[in-house]
């Protein structure tokens, strides 16, 4: 099986892609099938947060683009900027991945968290789309297994 051992910053004119959800984009080693059926082994030196738009270089030089899959999400809208900041604090206190936009927070759908957000006074809307949350506070990547 051909291997992908390098992540490139941009997929550019990749002829193929692999579409992965948020959890599927945090990988080191796994057998994958591209959107056009190419089977390959992702074989990176360390676990990597693959970002939408990056590419995976195969041993033969071809690039497979990384695409963020549509997922069940929720949008939380606050009354004003101060309310949004307070809500973001509560989300962060629960160590939840979250995309922070100027007027809303985007999280993966969870009925318990939706109820919490509504209890905090937010309007919560269920939707679907690619989930691309903020990266870790100490550089690129996710914040799993960090020390307090």
């Amino acid at each position: 099986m051909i291997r992908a051992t390098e992540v490139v910053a941009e997929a550019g004119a990749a002829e193929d892609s692999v579409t992965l959800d948020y959890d599927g984009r945090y990988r080191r080693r796994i057998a994958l099938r591209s959107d056009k059926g190419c089977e390959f082994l992702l074989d990176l030196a360390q676990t990597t947060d693959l970002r939408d738009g990056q590419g995976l270089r195969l041993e033969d030089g071809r690039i497979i683009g990384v695409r963020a899959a549509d997922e069940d999400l929720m949008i939380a809208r606050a009354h004003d900027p101060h309310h949004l900041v307070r809500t973001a604090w509560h989300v962060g206190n629960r160590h939840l991945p979250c995309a922070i936009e100027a007027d809303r927070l985007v999280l993966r759908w969870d009925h318990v968290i939706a109820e919490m957000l509504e209890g905090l006074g937010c309007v919560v809307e269920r939707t679907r789309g690619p989930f691309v949350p903020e990266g870790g506070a100490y550089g690129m990547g996710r914040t799993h297994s960090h020390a307090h």
Side-chain angles (χ1 to χ4, degrees):
M1 179 178 287
I2 193 164
R3 297 180 318 141
T5 59
E6 178 186 355
V7 178
V8 295
E10 293 183 22
E15 295 179 20
D16 201 351
S17 58
V18 62
T19 303
L20 303 167
D21 66 11
Y22 177 67
D23 292 329
R25 293 192 317 270
Y26 192 63
R27 295 290 182 191
R28 187 191 82 74
R29 190 166 204 257
I30 188 171
L32 294 171
R33 180 187 301 258
S34 75
D35 297 333
K36 292 185 178 179
C38 174
E39 294 182 356
F40 65 98
L41 177 67
L42 179 66
D43 192 13
L44 303 174
Q46 61 188 20
T47 304
T48 302
D49 186 15
L50 302 171
R51 307 295 282 182
D52 185 68
Q54 289 181 322
L56 304 171
R57 186 183 314 277
L58 300 178
E59 291 171 309
D60 64 6
R62 288 180 293 160
I63 303 292
I64 304 285
V66 175
R67 294 184 42 199
D70 284 350
E71 301 184 53
D72 289 327
L73 304 174
M74 61 183 156
I75 296 170
R77 296 186 193 280
H79 304 297
D80 57 46
H82 181 254
H83 184 218
L84 186 68
V85 169
R86 287 184 62 243
T87 302
W89 183 90
H90 285 284
V91 167
N93 192 44
R94 284 155 184 80
H95 296 259
L96 298 172
C98 178
I100 302 170
E101 300 179 5
D103 63 342
R104 66 189 191 164
L105 304 177
V106 181
L107 300 98
R108 289 190 287 185
W109 171 254
D110 180 309
H111 73 280
V112 172
I113 299 303
E115 288 178 19
M116 178 199 78
L117 294 168
E118 289 169 343
L120 291 169
C122 291
V123 173
V124 177
E125 169 191 346
R126 193 167 181 172
T127 190
R128 281 192 60 80
F131 185 53
V132 185
E134 293 293 316
Y138 298 100
M140 293 300 294
R142 303 188 186 190
T143 58
H144 300 304
S145 303
H146 63 281
H148 283 275

